[in-house]
Amino acid sequence: MRIAAAGFCCIDVYNNLKKYYPTGNGVDFAVHMNRLGYASSLISAVGNDSYGELMKETLKKEGIDISHLHTLAGSTAVIQLELNGNDRVHGDEDEGVMEQFSLTQKDIDFILTHDYLHTDLFGRILNRLPFFQSSGLKTVFDFSTFLQDERIERILPSVDYAFFSYEQEDNFIRDYMKWAKNLGPSLVTVTLGEHGSLSYDGQAFHKGESIPVDVVNTVGAGDSFIAGFIHGIIRGQSIPDCLKSGATLASSVITQFEPY
């Protein structure tokens, strides 16, 4: 089983703490899937700067295939963060060379050698999703908290496993999940922070519980949850067990500062 992550990658920088690390939705997902035993690749772009070298060195150590991680002239994407208690607060964002990134034909051919493809709203491959899905890849899409993004309605028909983040279980999110499911995904899943998670298969809602832990930093919780969930899907687990698998991995990640 081969996993491809094609999406936004960056360095999270906490200036007040003098800490930083390589991350991004696809980066975190690929690292966790690789640790779970799946050959994983990252298709994205970094700059020819020290942050770019850090990204490449870190992923090499993790065993990620970075043969299609482009090094472009310019700066690696950076997101400024602060901690509010144990919750991250986003500050300024510099996309750097991600603004220039687009898939080459070699990238496309490489992605087609995988079984699953993970991406996000900022990975710059949205126009290729219908092709990848029709070619047989299972598509995993992390919409994060952007439930109102105008592109979602166009994206969902090309998504097999859709993931969103929201703050609570209520009528709005249940109706939203039904709407999203009707557009095409096999499953729509929403992480609800301390309130657990919810998955909808078109017939029933399945509730997952969060696992109480001492939280250090919530960064990476959603990405690790998705990895744990997809791990369950690949193993043929029931939806409740997939939710538990996601929660278990996420609970281990938020007890540490870095996202993996």
Side-chain angles (χ1 to χ4, degrees), residues 162-166 173 176-177 188-192 196-199 225 243:
F163 292 88
F164 298 87
S165 295
Y166 190 63
I173 199 61
Y176 186 94
M177 293 171 74
V188 176
T189 303
V190 178
T191 55
L192 303 167
S197 56
L198 198 61
S199 195
F225 177 93
L243 292 170

Side-chain angles (χ1 to χ4, degrees), residues 151-195:
R151 296 169 291 180
I152 291 175
E153 191 167 0
R154 300 195 303 272
I155 295 168
L156 282 170
S158 303
V159 172
D160 291 296
Y161 300 100
F163 292 88
F164 298 87
S165 295
Y166 190 63
E167 64 269 14
Q168 62 191 9
E169 182 182 351
D170 55 23
N171 289 334
F172 166 79
I173 199 61
R174 283 175 169 262
D175 289 343
Y176 186 94
M177 293 171 74
K178 289 179 179 179
W179 169 82
K181 175 68 178 72
N182 286 337
L183 288 173
S186 298
L187 282 174
V188 176
T189 303
V190 178
T191 55
L192 303 167
E194 63 182 347
H195 302 295

